C-alpha cells in the first residue's frame, strides 16, 4: 500500500478506493478513477512496485480473497473488506511514527 501510494503519488482516499481491476501488471500501470474534479488518470509504476504488487496479489489469491475486478485492492485481514480512507491514513501515520519521521501524539505538559 505504501509503495503504491508513494510511487504513484496517490492521495490516501485514492489508495483506499483502488480495485483489482485498476491494476495492469502486464503494462505496469494503475488507473485512478474519478477522483478530484471527477477525473481519471493512468499512472506508470516502477518495476519494483509492479513486482511487489504481483507478489501481493498472488498471496491474496492463495488466501481466498475475492478476485472480482470491483473488489478492493487492499483488504483488511480480519474481515476481507476494503480499508476505509481514515484507516489507511492512520496506518500511514503509524508507519511514519515507527520510522521516527513523525512525532508521537504526546501532549507537551508545559502548555
Amino acid at each position: 500500500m505504501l509503495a503504491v501510494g508513494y510511487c504513484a503519488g496517490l492521495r490516501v482516499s485514492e489508495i483506499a478506493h483502488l480495485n483489482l481491476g485498476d491494476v495492469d501488471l502486464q503494462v505496469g500501470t494503475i488507473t485512478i478513477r474519478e477522483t478530484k474534479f471527477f477525473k481519471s488518470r493512468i499512472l506508470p509504476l516502477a518495476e519494483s512496485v509492479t513486482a511487489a504488487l504481483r507478489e501481493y496479489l498472488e498471496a491474496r489469491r492463495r488466501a481466498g480473497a475475492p478476485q472480482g475486478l470491483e473488489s478492493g485492492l487492499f483488504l483488511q485481514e480480519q474481515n476481507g473488506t476494503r480499508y476505509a480512507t481514515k484507516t489507511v491514513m492512520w496506518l500511514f501515520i503509524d508507519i511514519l511514527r515507527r520510522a521516527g519521521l513523525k512525532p508521537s501524539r504526546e501532549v507537551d505538559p508545559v502548555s
Side-chain angles (χ1 to χ4, degrees):
M1 194 184 302
L2 183 62
V4 170
Y6 178 77
C7 175
L10 302 181
R11 297 173 183 90
V12 173
S13 62
E14 293 171 338
I15 294 168
H17 291 101
L18 286 171
N19 292 327
L20 283 177
D22 296 331
V23 177
D24 186 338
L25 295 176
Q26 299 297 326
V27 182
T29 61
I30 196 159
T31 301
I32 311 304
R33 300 186 189 281
E34 298 183 17
T35 61
K36 198 170 187 178
F37 306 114
F38 306 102
K39 293 185 178 185
S40 297
R41 61 193 192 280
I42 298 173
L43 303 170
L45 295 173
E47 288 182 33
S48 59
V49 175
T50 302
L53 267 174
R54 188 173 282 112
E55 289 178 31
Y56 166 74
L57 293 174
E58 177 57 26
R60 197 190 124 111
R61 185 194 61 74
R62 284 193 314 268
Q67 297 298 303
L69 296 179
E70 296 299 318
S71 297
L73 178 60
F74 299 110
L75 302 178
Q76 296 184 45
E77 199 173 339
Q78 306 89 320
N79 57 16
T81 60
R82 130 184 2 252
Y83 284 99
T85 300
K86 193 171 190 171
T87 305
V88 174
M89 180 186 66
W90 285 111
L91 289 170
F92 286 169
I93 288 171
D94 184 53
I95 290 168
L96 292 172
R97 284 192 174 127
R98 289 173 187 244
L101 300 173
K102 182 170 179 62
S104 68
R105 293 184 64 174
E106 295 177 13
V107 178
D108 183 3
V110 177
S111 40

